[in-house]
């Protein structure tokens, strides 16, 4: 028996999924324990020169109504029509694997519930960290731990820009232009440089680790567009690297505090040496103390690798994986306001730059009225 799956979208990631599948088809089938093939590729565009041109369709219903298709790889991006298509597939019992971080961050609770109700799976390893395996370890390998915090670099574009500012004395604008020239940043880079991409990823991690859906609107998010070359140089002279850090931690009062913001990372912290487009995520747990996951956080084949890993898992699981789930949330009362975020702070004002001796809350540091105010990651 051969398992048939479909790919929604033939952009960078979708084309990578098809390319990597046929490149490694024999080994993928061995790991899945069955023969596999791509039956459909959904895209509104024409690809007359593609070696897989006979597999293309412009009608989603071809996939939805074909009982031979038992697994789907969603690589379209955005919330709609991806949400409508994915929900419909799950309600037909077709497992879905996605790289779509925006979809999971906004609608993950609904889609997980649909998968559970119809004995299939909604997998999203590729939505956080590209090729870095972080979702599966959080709910499988580290399941015996009480996880208290997760933090790291979850956006390769901003990390590339900050690396160029630090290593080559580039201004923010020049580093951004280079990132766009090299294809690391979009023509409209807002989602990356203002932290929205990292926010969606920490929402997914927070939801999975702490069991309730965390929406992007509930997470304080600040990007790197206000980081100056002076800040980067000052931080270096004090023994720190500036990084865009997405983090979540459980506080003593039981609430969680997710946030995305530039932070100063001391040079004795391994994350300070994660450069260019690479990502790194640290996880704190009572059994493991601290572990780190590191690798390429984006790119055609790295992301396709994660999507296909989930497709293989879909083929191997005939029932829902309940450990990869979380509850819906009607409000954000379980989330601590960012005003209570506590740290030492880098301050730059008319008197110069310094690191505060004492820990202050976000509200207290903001009240200082400094030209630049960045927390320190301890």
């Amino acid at each position: 028996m051969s398992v048939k799956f479909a790919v929604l979208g033939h952009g960078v990631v979708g084309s990578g999924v098809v390319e990597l599948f046929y490149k490694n088809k024999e080994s993928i089938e061995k790991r899945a324990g069955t023969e596999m093939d791509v039956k459909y590729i959904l895209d509104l565009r024409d690809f007359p020169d593609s070696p897989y041109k006979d597999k293309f369709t412009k009608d989603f219903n071809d996939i939805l109504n074909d009982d031979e298709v038992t697994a789907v790889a969603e690589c379209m991006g955005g919330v709609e029509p991806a949400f409508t298509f994915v929900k419909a597939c799950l309600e037909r019992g077709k497992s879905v694997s996605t790289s779509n971080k925006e979809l999971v961050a906004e609608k993950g609770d609904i889609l997980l519930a649909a998968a559970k109700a119809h004995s299939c799976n909604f997998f999203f390893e590729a939505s956080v960290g590209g090729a870095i395996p972080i979702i599966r370890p959080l709910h499988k390998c580290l399941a015996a731990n009480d996880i208290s915090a997760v933090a790291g670099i979850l956006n390769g574009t901003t990390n590339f820009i900050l690396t160029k500012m630090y290593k080559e004395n580039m201004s923010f604008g020049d580093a951004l232009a280079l990132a766009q020239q090299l294809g690391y940043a979009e023509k409209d880079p807002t989602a990356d440089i203002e932290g929205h991409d990292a926010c969606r990823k920490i929402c997914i991690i927070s939801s999975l680790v702490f069991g309730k859906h965390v929406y992007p609107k509930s997470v304080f998010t600040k990007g790197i567009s206000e980081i100056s070359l002076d800040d980067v140089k000052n931080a270096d002279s004090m023994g720190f690297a500036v990084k865009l850090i997405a983090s979540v931690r459980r506080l003593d009062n039981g609430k969680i505090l997710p946030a995305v913001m530039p932070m100063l990372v001391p040079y004795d912290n391994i994350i300070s040496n994660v450069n260019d487009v690479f990502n790194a995520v640290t996880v704190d747990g009572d059994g493991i103390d601290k572990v780190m996951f590191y690798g390429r956080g984006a790119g055609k084949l790295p992301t396709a690798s994660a999507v296909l890993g989930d497709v293989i898992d879909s083929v191997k699981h005939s029932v829902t994986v309940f450990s990869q789930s979380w509850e819906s949330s009607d409000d954000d009362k379980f989330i601590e306001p960012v005003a209570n975020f506590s740290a030492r702070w880098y301050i730059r004002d008319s008197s110069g730059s310094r690191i505060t001796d004492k820990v202050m809350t976000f509200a207290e540091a903001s009240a200082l009225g400094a030209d630049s105010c960045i927390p320190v990651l301890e």
Side-chain angles (χ1 to χ4, degrees), residues 40 67 77 81 89 100 102 110 138 159 186 217 260 278 286 297 332 337 360 363 374:
Y40 298 103
D67 292 337
C89 287
N100 189 340
E102 188 176 2
I110 298 171
L138 283 173
N159 204 42
E186 301 288 344
K217 64 183 181 181
V260 176
F278 283 82
D286 59 349
D332 60 2
M360 294 189 289
I374 306 172

Side-chain angles (χ1 to χ4, degrees), residues 4 20 36 40 47 61 67 75 144 149 184 190 195 212 225 233-234 261 283 292 297 307-308 342 348:
K4 304 292 196 298
L20 192 61
M36 294 175 62
Y40 298 103
F47 296 88
N61 288 308
D67 292 337
C75 308
Y184 296 147
T190 304
K212 293 190 75 172
S225 58
K233 290 179 177 179
N234 290 339
M261 62 183 92
V283 180
M292 190 180 88
V307 173
L308 278 171
S342 297
R348 176 170 57 80

Side-chain angles (χ1 to χ4, degrees), residues 26-78:
E26 186 176 340
S27 61
I28 287 172
E29 289 176 329
K30 190 175 295 183
R31 293 186 177 98
T34 184
E35 293 182 358
M36 294 175 62
D37 203 4
V38 176
K39 188 166 186 181
Y40 298 103
I41 304 169
L42 178 72
D43 205 293
L44 294 177
R45 298 167 295 175
D46 293 311
F47 296 88
D49 298 325
S50 170
Y52 317 112
K53 59 185 178 182
D54 59 321
K55 298 180 183 294
F56 281 90
T57 179
K58 297 179 181 181
D59 188 353
F60 169 69
N61 288 308
D62 289 342
I63 296 166
L64 185 64
N65 296 323
D66 191 333
D67 292 337
E68 267 198 330
V69 175
T70 59
V72 174
E74 187 277 307
C75 308
M76 300 171 66

Side-chain angles (χ1 to χ4, degrees), residues 40-204:
Y40 298 103
I41 304 169
L42 178 72
D43 205 293
L44 294 177
R45 298 167 295 175
D46 293 311
F47 296 88
D49 298 325
S50 170
Y52 317 112
K53 59 185 178 182
D54 59 321
K55 298 180 183 294
F56 281 90
T57 179
K58 297 179 181 181
D59 188 353
F60 169 69
N61 288 308
D62 289 342
I63 296 166
L64 185 64
N65 296 323
D66 191 333
D67 292 337
E68 267 198 330
V69 175
T70 59
V72 174
E74 187 277 307
C75 308
M76 300 171 66
V79 176
E80 286 292 356
F83 174 65
T84 299
F85 289 175
V86 170
K87 188 168 181 286
C89 287
L90 295 170
E91 289 173 344
R92 290 288 184 93
K94 303 178 191 290
S95 290
V96 177
S97 307
T98 184
S99 59
N100 189 340
K101 65 193 77 72
E102 188 176 2
L103 175 66
V104 184
E106 294 287 354
K107 303 288 187 179
D109 57 335
I110 298 171
L111 297 174
L112 286 164
K116 182 178 178 180
H118 296 87
S119 299
C120 55
N121 282 290
F122 178 56
F123 287 141
F124 43 89
E125 183 69 65
S127 68
V128 179
I132 303 173
I134 182 63
I135 298 299
R136 195 171 283 106
L138 283 173
H139 75 91
K140 284 190 174 182
C141 311
L142 305 179
N145 285 260
D146 178 19
I147 295 174
S148 56
V150 182
I153 299 166
L154 293 177
N155 182 272
T157 301
T158 52
N159 204 42
F160 175 85
I161 292 170
L162 291 169
T163 299
K164 290 299 177 184
M165 292 175 71
Y166 161 65
K167 288 193 170 182
E168 300 182 29
N169 287 326
M170 283 190 181
S171 68
F172 170 82
D174 288 344
L176 171 58
L178 178 60
Q180 290 173 315
Q181 179 185 330
L182 295 174
Y184 296 147
E186 301 288 344
K187 185 176 182 181
D188 178 1
T190 304
D192 291 320
I193 64 173
E194 298 302 341
H196 305 312
D197 175 79
C199 173
R200 292 163 186 154
K201 293 171 181 176
I202 201 63
C203 283
I204 296 168

Side-chain angles (χ1 to χ4, degrees), residues 202 206 214 218-220 247-249 256-260 335-336 338:
I202 201 63
S206 301
V214 176
S218 300
V219 178
F220 175 80
S247 65
V248 62
R249 53 181 168 174
I256 66 171
L257 207 172
V260 176
I335 297 176
E336 185 77 7
V338 73

